[in-house]
Structures are given as C-alpha cells and as structure tokens.
Amino acid sequence: MMTPMRYVVLVLGIIISLHFILSFSHEEYGRATSISRLSEQFGGSKPHPPYENGVPEDYYVSTPPAAEGRRANATFVLLARNGDLNGVVMSMKQVEDRFNKEFHYPYVFLNEEPFSEEFKDRVQTLTDSKIEFGLIPKEDWVQPAWIDEARATEARKDMVEKKVIYGGSVPYRNMCRFNSGFFYRHELLQKYRYYWRVEPDVNFFCDIHYDPFLLMQDQKKVYGFTVSLYEYPATIPTLWNAVREFISANPDLVENDNAMRFISDDGGETYNNCHFWSNFEIGDLDLWRGEAYSKFFDFLDEKGGFYYERWGDAPVHSIGAALFAKKEQIHFFNDIGYRHNPFQHCPQGELHKKGKCWCNPKENFDYEWYSCLKRYDNLFA
C-alpha cells in the first residue's frame, strides 16, 4: 500500500515529466514557461530592442484583405535600367507573391534613360497595381560640372589599383549620389509619404500578411532596415570629418535621443563604419525632405566626396537617420526575410514559421562578425 507521501512524489513526477514533454514538443509552451519569461513576469521586463515585441496582431489581415482597408500613402521605388529587366522581374514577382498581391501598393520606376516598351510590358504583367515610369533629370544624375575631373580621375585610378569594388565607376558614383540626395525629389514621388526601395536580383523569403507602411505610420517610425554591416573604409576616408564639421556648425539640427551610438563608439569623435544596407529601405520620405537632412546632404555634396572618394548612399542615409531621428524611430524588420547577395536576413524560430519562409535559418547574417545588428540592439540596452 502506498503512503500519502508516495502519492505526492508520484504526482509530482508525472507533472514534471509532462512539463518537459510539452516544453520540447510545443515551442510556445516552452517559451511561456521558461525561467527567463517567468522572471520577466515577476521581476519586470529587461530593456530590449522594440522589434522584439513583435508586430501587434491587429495589423495582420485575413486573406484576401478588404480592398477598402486602411492604407498608407506609400509606393515601391525601383531604380533600374532596361538591362536590369530580368533581375527586376525576379524581385518584383517575389514582392507581389510575398506581400503586394494582398495590399496593391503602386510602383515608381526611375531610370536615367527612357524605359523600353519591353521593360514596361513585362513588369506590368506582374501586378494589378498602378505603375509609373519616370525619367531622372540629367542634372540630378550626372557628375556635376564643378567637380575637378582631373582630381576625380586620379581618385578612381587609385581605387582601381587598390581593387576597391566599383572604384573606377562613374555611373556607380552617380547612382550613390542620386540615391543619397535626389530620388525623393523626383516629381513622381512628391505625392507619397512612405517608400519601399526594391532592387534587381534580390530575394524576399517570407509571406508578409501585415502592412509595414501602416506600422511605420502608426508607430512614427521613419527608417526601416533588414541588414546592417560595416562600410569599406577605403571608400569614405574623409566622410566623418565632413559629418563632424556639419554637426559642429548645426548642433540644433541633431535630434535628441538619437542613434549616435550605432555609428560611433566614442560619442562622435570617430565613425565605426556601421551602416544600414540601403538596398532595402522602408522609410518616411519626409525624413529626407526635412530641413536637417536637406542641409546635411547639400553640405556633403559640396565636399565632392561622391566623386573624389566613393561615398555610398548607405553610410550617408544611415548617418542621416542616426543623427536626425530618434533611435526608436529606426526599425529592424526582423520578420522580413531578405537577401541581396552575398548577405541575407533570415527570420528565426516562430517568425520563420509564421512567414512560411523558404530561407535556411542557419544562413543568417544578423550576428556574424561583420554585422552591426548588435550595435543597434545595444541602443536599447
């Protein structure tokens, strides 16, 4: 005959066994009953980046959503040439399949030359959304006449000898300058508030059943990214000197509670080379249109670094966002699986399942040695 104490031990053993079985077989149960979760509930949550809170459930829509549902004033933006057509089709098809077939946001295509009829026909077959094709004004694209061509030529030659990627390319520099300070001024974008930048030959791995534009709008975010990394120092040797000069002359334009700690480890004395990889951006166009960034870009442009060096739009945008926005207004889209060769962000755990992502979760750049995501996380530590 079993004593009462033996019954108690038996029952406890059964309960503990069930707990371990459920913890391993049901991830949500394991997470909910973990020591860290229980300690948060009883001792208060620890500081953490906002993206770890996830997207509120009320942003997710049924499939298909109501055509008259709430929408942001937003568009996709693609800078492309006619020769990029196959890569554009690949990227755009994934945007449609993963997201836009439910939300029907328009597209703006920009090119320094007129788009061919073949280009227009092929992209228009991919979507029911409105598409506009814009020509970039020559003065917004080509190297300015005031640039000292002899100096610029010598700089390109030096970079080629040092095997700096795109070191000898003038068109690449034109593109970087245009994306840094002119794309948002194009007439076709004037009617929009938010944009999603898409490039040829990229991958979108996960279904997105909520509207990132509305998330940006409602939570007053101004810049969103998926990948962050270090810039190649040889392309920007004097960029930070120019940034410090601008800050010194315009301290009133720098936002309080900014993200300086993402881009500098010593309070702004030096640049740590971290930037958001700008081939993916979801942003508020008013950030770039505002007084602070407008003056900032014009100041940098006058230095000539886009041509005398090889300043990229990624560090320029990233420094601008870090200085002129509050840190809470910069958002990591942890749930959007994305690849621009050779780096990719692949959502982990439940986000991978929820998005039905087809990327390998083991191939994720987030915390590799060359990633800057940990610095972003530390803004909120």
Side-chain angles (χ1 to χ4, degrees):
M1 179 179 297
M2 295 183 69
T3 65
M5 181 57 68
R6 288 182 177 177
Y7 278 116
V8 171
V9 172
L10 177 61
V11 171
L12 284 174
I14 293 173
I15 292 173
I16 292 171
S17 298
L18 285 173
H19 169 72
F20 279 105
I21 292 171
L22 290 171
S23 294
F24 285 105
S25 61
H26 293 75
E27 188 171 347
E28 285 300 320
Y29 175 86
R31 183 179 292 108
T33 58
S34 67
I35 293 175
S36 60
R37 175 58 63 86
L38 291 174
S39 65
E40 285 183 7
Q41 291 175 351
F42 290 103
S45 62
K46 297 179 180 179
H48 58 275
Y51 68 85
E52 291 185 0
N53 295 330
V55 176
E57 286 299 321
D58 55 359
Y59 279 92
Y60 287 88
V61 298
S62 58
T63 305
E68 297 80 17
R70 194 165 67 94
R71 291 165 57 84
N73 178 19
T75 184
F76 293 99
V77 178
L78 292 92
L79 177 64
R81 292 172 167 167
N82 291 312
D84 296 323
L85 178 55
N86 288 334
V88 166
V89 167
M90 186 184 85
S91 299
M92 188 175 170
K93 177 61 175 172
Q94 291 180 71
V95 169
E96 286 294 308
D97 289 348
R98 303 280 78 78
F99 169 74
N100 205 44
K101 66 183 178 183
E102 294 184 15
F103 293 90
H104 308 295
Y105 278 101
Y107 292 82
V108 171
F109 281 86
L110 300 176
N111 191 351
E112 81 270 23
E113 298 177 350
F115 284 105
S116 67
E117 290 305 312
E118 178 191 9
F119 189 103
K120 294 179 181 179
D121 288 344
R122 284 191 62 188
V123 299
Q124 286 172 328
T125 64
L126 297 176
T127 182
D128 294 326
S129 298
K130 177 182 178 182
I131 301 180
E132 293 182 283
F133 299 94
L135 185 65
I136 298 171
K138 184 178 179 180
E139 61 271 19
D140 292 349
W141 182 262
V142 300
Q143 178 177 300
W146 50 263
I147 290 291
D148 181 342
E149 179 53 34
R151 179 181 171 187
T153 299
E154 187 62 30
R156 294 195 299 271
K157 179 181 177 182
D158 182 63
M159 285 194 178
V160 169
E161 291 175 353
K162 293 178 179 177
K163 295 182 171 52
V164 176
I165 186 170
Y166 302 119
S169 174
V170 175
Y172 186 82
R173 287 170 166 81
N174 291 340
M175 180 195 69
C176 290
R177 179 173 178 262
F178 175 78
N179 279 328
S180 294
F182 293 95
F183 88 93
Y184 53 90
R185 307 185 198 193
H186 195 280
E187 61 180 358
L188 292 182
L189 289 174
Q190 295 311 300
K191 56 182 171 288
Y192 295 111
R193 174 69 182 272
Y194 298 94
Y195 73 101
W196 182 334
R197 176 172 164 179
V198 178
E199 294 209 348
D201 297 301
V202 299
N203 294 121
F204 290 93
F205 295 118
C206 311
D207 293 341
I208 307 168
H209 293 302
Y210 74 95
D211 189 336
F213 293 124
L214 285 180
L215 186 75
M216 298 284 287
Q217 174 182 287
D218 294 349
Q219 297 187 4
K220 294 181 171 54
K221 309 287 187 182
V222 297
Y223 191 85
F225 71 99
T226 55
V227 174
S228 60
L229 67 163
Y230 294 94
E231 179 61 297
Y232 192 8
T235 65
I236 54 167
T238 68
L239 174 59
W240 193 252
N241 291 337
V243 172
R244 289 185 61 191
E245 187 180 344
F246 179 83
I247 293 173
S248 178
N250 301 275
D252 56 310
L253 295 180
V254 178
E255 181 63 65
N256 293 325
D257 197 25
N258 58 45
M260 174 66 84
R261 287 195 296 126
F262 175 74
I263 56 175
S264 177
D265 301 331
D266 51 18
E269 287 298 314
T270 60
Y271 180 35
N272 62 22
N273 297 317
C274 278
H275 68 277
F276 307 114
W277 216 18
S278 59
N279 47 70
F280 173 103
E281 292 180 325
I282 300 179
D284 184 340
L285 289 162
D286 281 356
L287 172 64
W288 313 131
R289 294 166 176 156
E291 177 190 8
Y293 185 81
S294 295
K295 289 184 175 180
F296 177 67
F297 171 76
D298 289 344
F299 182 86
L300 295 184
D301 197 29
E302 290 173 1
K303 296 292 185 181
F306 291 103
Y307 295 96
Y308 300 142
E309 296 176 10
R310 206 222 66 189
W311 295 356
D313 56 277
V316 172
H317 271 192
S318 300
I319 293 169
L323 294 179
F324 308 128
K326 295 182 184 299
K327 64 185 181 184
E328 292 83 3
Q329 293 181 294
I330 300 173
H331 183 69
F332 174 41
F333 279 101
N334 194 24
D335 50 357
I336 297 182
Y338 174 78
R339 180 180 181 86
H340 183 295
N341 196 46
F343 303 116
Q344 73 179 36
H345 165 65
C346 186
Q348 304 290 293
E350 282 301 308
L351 291 179
H352 194 277
K353 296 176 183 178
K354 190 169 189 175
K356 296 181 174 60
C357 305
W358 55 275
C359 53
N360 182 349
K362 295 180 181 179
E363 298 176 4
N364 183 40
F365 182 67
D366 288 1
Y367 296 106
E368 294 295 327
W369 71 272
Y370 205 63
S371 171
C372 289
L373 183 60
K374 186 65 175 177
R375 294 180 185 274
Y376 172 80
D377 289 348
N378 287 340
L379 290 174
F380 308 95

